[in-house]
Amino acid sequence: VTRQTEQELITGPTQLTPIQHWFFAQNLPEPQHWNQAMLLQILQPLDTTFLQQALQALLIHHDALRLLAQREASGWSLTIAAPNDQISFVRVNLVALPELQQIAVLEATATQLQSGLNLTNGPILRVALFDLGPQQPARLLLVIHHLAIDIVSWSILLEDLQSAYQQLSQGQLLRLPPKTTAF
């Protein structure tokens, strides 16, 4: 049985899930660093305009990617923000660098993106496309705070990203599957 939720854009205050309550109870010194990242090999050239549009579609479709957290006297609260026009996306050209330097820059950029997540003001999703030259596949790095993603959610998110990109690149109307839940 597939459960569906509100299909419209969801914004505003939302309740913490049990695992989110647990997370905030840990009082981590740098809670923004608790994230998951996925580094993908891209075997075909990507049009960055379509990629950014597909990422924007994910932000609109997957409400949890817009979560913001506030610490209040009574504890933590969550709000789902309205989507903004700019996805946190950077393209990094590493073509002129030797392979070892490419790896070092990729790792440094990944660390910077992961430390740049901001639970209070956003973003909690950051993306980088690394161009390594014609001899190697490009890499696409997605960094998402763990409040918004878990290991099971990655397959859904990546499938939606691929579908959105494919539809946009083929001039089709963008249609993602119905939401089953806001998280």
Side-chain angles (χ1 to χ4, degrees):
V1 170
T2 301
R3 196 177 104 209
Q4 287 191 1
T5 190
E6 175 66 42
Q7 295 302 304
E8 300 300 316
L9 181 70
I10 296 174
T11 61
T14 188
Q15 298 295 313
L16 274 72
T17 65
I19 195 69
Q20 291 168 336
H21 278 287
W22 173 88
F23 168 74
F24 287 119
Q26 303 310 301
N27 288 318
L28 299 172
E30 296 186 52
Q32 70 277 7
H33 287 282
W34 201 57
N35 62 70
Q36 291 192 353
M38 185 78 62
L39 184 64
L40 307 170
Q41 279 191 5
I42 306 301
L43 301 177
Q44 301 174 21
L46 288 179
D47 181 303
T48 55
T49 300
F50 293 142
L51 178 59
Q52 289 178 357
Q53 290 172 354
L55 290 165
Q56 187 68 30
L58 289 184
L59 222 97
I60 292 167
H61 191 68
H62 294 280
D63 304 306
L65 295 177
R66 301 187 316 276
L67 281 174
L68 299 177
Q70 294 291 327
R71 183 175 207 143
E72 300 169 352
S74 61
W76 286 89
S77 67
L78 291 178
T79 300
I80 299 175
N84 60 24
D85 293 337
Q86 291 294 324
I87 188 85
S88 180
F89 173 81
V90 63
R91 183 175 186 160
V92 182
N93 186 338
L94 303 176
V95 173
L97 299 178
E99 188 174 341
L100 287 177
Q101 282 184 301
Q102 287 179 338
I103 293 169
V105 171
L106 191 148
E107 289 174 351
T109 303
T111 299
Q112 178 187 18
L113 292 177
Q114 289 179 311
S115 66
L117 298 180
N118 187 317
L119 290 177
T120 303
N121 301 313
I124 65 165
L125 161 66
R126 300 190 80 191
V127 181
L129 178 63
F130 298 93
D131 184 355
L132 303 176
Q135 303 303 321
Q136 297 184 68
R139 302 294 194 283
L140 181 66
L141 176 67
L142 296 117
V143 177
I144 304 172
H145 196 278
H146 204 1
L147 285 175
I149 195 139
D150 60 20
I151 196 68
V152 175
S153 303
W154 275 109
S155 62
I156 297 166
L157 192 72
L158 293 174
E159 185 177 316
D160 284 355
L161 177 60
Q162 182 179 9
S163 176
Y165 181 87
Q166 191 171 35
Q167 290 170 32
L168 290 165
S169 67
Q170 294 174 358
Q172 298 173 354
L173 183 63
L174 183 69
R175 287 210 168 112
L176 293 175
K179 298 180 195 180
T180 56
T181 181
F183 287 90

